[in-house]
Amino acid sequence: MKKSIILLIVALIFGVVSADAVQKKTRKRTTAAPALTVKEGAVKEYADGLVTQVFSIKKNVRVLTFGGKQRMECSISVEYPMSGPTTLVANARLWIKNQINRDYKGALDNPKAMLLATAKSWSDAQETSDIKVVYSTRKSITYCDEAYTYIGGNHGMGGNLYATFLFGNGRQLTKSDLPRFSKWNMAQLMSRTLECKPSEVTDYLFQGIPTEYPDGVYLGADGIHIVWGEYEIAPYAVGEIDVLLSGNKADFSGTASGEYF
């Protein structure tokens, strides 16, 4: 009789523990991920009636590292052109879309939908992007995307990607708008960025002094810059190489780049 009672008690205890374990496992499996939300931020106004607004979104992902999987935060913050000169707004929106999500097919007048679609695609890599206006005049406006991607390994890849647009026709400044490359003493200009002597510049580069412009070009408060990204012409330790060509509009006379000053 006592033996039967003991067995009954053991069975009841085992049943309760098993049920509790199943319940916990079910709760863990069915817990929904936090809902993705796009936050609205500051509204700004620029020349020629251009109006922008900041939108942002965040999401945690798990990235495989040398120490195993680690939780990391993906994020986008973008100062989005909402209204203003039609061509400039269209060109700036397209550039931003290509920075955030080149594969996005939705309408570009809905930044929230773009950010949500992008965030849903984040899974096993850390991606961050901070896009904002960094310089503007009555004639032009410059955007910068401070971007970073980490997919595992020793380090991620980051850098600043720029785009300068002309208010008059919305055209983006490109390297084809600049004077001929041979106009500049590139060793002298690069030495200022690398903080070395002109004769030492090649010590920092994979090969010799570049002979043509990189794709990166923009107008800042001090003049027109060109930018080589990480690993483009130098080791990772050197980082991106941002070179100021000149802040003197006269140095760009006779070329389309002079219109942006």
Side-chain angles (χ1 to χ4, degrees):
M1 182 67 177
K2 290 183 178 180
K3 185 177 180 180
S4 299
I5 293 173
I6 292 172
L7 290 174
L8 179 60
I9 293 172
V10 170
L12 288 172
I13 293 173
F14 180 77
V16 170
V17 171
S18 299
D20 185 58
V22 170
Q23 189 177 26
K24 287 182 179 179
K25 185 176 180 180
T26 302
R27 281 201 303 267
K28 183 178 181 180
R29 186 173 58 247
T30 58
T31 299
L36 294 172
T37 304
V38 177
K39 295 184 178 180
E40 298 183 10
V43 175
K44 297 183 179 180
E45 296 184 14
Y46 297 93
D48 212 12
L50 176 66
V51 177
T52 67
Q53 184 171 7
V54 174
F55 297 89
S56 61
I57 192 168
K58 295 180 179 181
K59 177 183 175 181
N60 288 325
V61 298
R62 296 186 67 80
V63 181
L64 184 61
T65 68
F66 289 124
K69 283 198 170 184
Q70 295 186 19
R71 190 174 73 170
M72 296 183 178
E73 185 180 81
C74 294
S75 65
I76 295 173
S77 176
V78 56
E79 184 179 344
Y80 204 76
M82 300 303 291
S83 61
T86 303
T87 306
L88 184 148
V89 168
N91 290 345
R93 285 176 175 178
L94 180 60
W95 180 81
I96 290 171
K97 190 272 290 188
N98 288 335
Q99 299 304 117
I100 293 175
N101 186 348
R102 188 173 292 273
D103 297 326
Y104 180 70
K105 305 299 183 184
L108 298 186
D109 60 353
N110 189 343
K112 287 187 175 182
M114 185 192 306
L115 266 61
L116 283 170
T118 303
K120 288 177 181 178
S121 70
W122 291 332
S123 58
D124 55 2
Q126 183 186 28
E127 300 179 52
T128 65
S129 183
D130 183 9
I131 302 176
K132 57 191 173 186
V133 174
V134 292
Y135 181 65
S136 68
T137 68
R138 62 181 182 82
K139 296 188 67 176
S140 65
I141 189 164
T142 298
Y143 267 96
C144 175
D145 177 14
E146 185 178 345
Y148 178 81
T149 300
Y150 178 77
I151 60 174
N154 290 326
H155 57 75
M157 290 288 291
N160 298 313
L161 303 171
Y162 295 90
T164 298
F165 299 94
L166 199 63
F167 276 114
N169 56 18
R171 189 176 184 278
Q172 182 179 346
L173 176 66
T174 68
K175 62 183 180 181
S176 63
D177 299 322
L178 301 174
R180 66 188 186 282
F181 190 83
S182 59
K183 171 184 176 70
W184 314 104
N185 183 339
M186 195 52 60
Q188 181 69 41
L189 296 177
M190 294 181 78
S191 70
R192 297 171 185 171
T193 298
L194 298 171
E195 299 181 345
C196 67
K197 297 177 181 179
S199 60
E200 298 172 340
V201 167
T202 53
D203 295 341
Y204 292 83
L205 309 178
F206 290 135
Q207 297 179 343
I209 302 296
T211 57
E212 59 184 20
Y213 290 116
D215 290 330
V217 54
Y218 71 96
L219 175 65
D222 53 355
I224 289 183
H225 293 240
I226 54 176
V227 185
W228 285 274
E230 291 180 351
Y231 282 126
E232 193 170 350
I233 60 171
Y236 176 81
V238 176
E240 67 180 19
I241 300 176
D242 186 320
V243 174
L244 171 64
L245 293 179
S246 174
N248 186 353
K249 181 178 179 179
D251 287 333
F252 302 91
S253 61
T255 70
S257 55
E259 300 176 23
Y260 290 79
F261 283 84

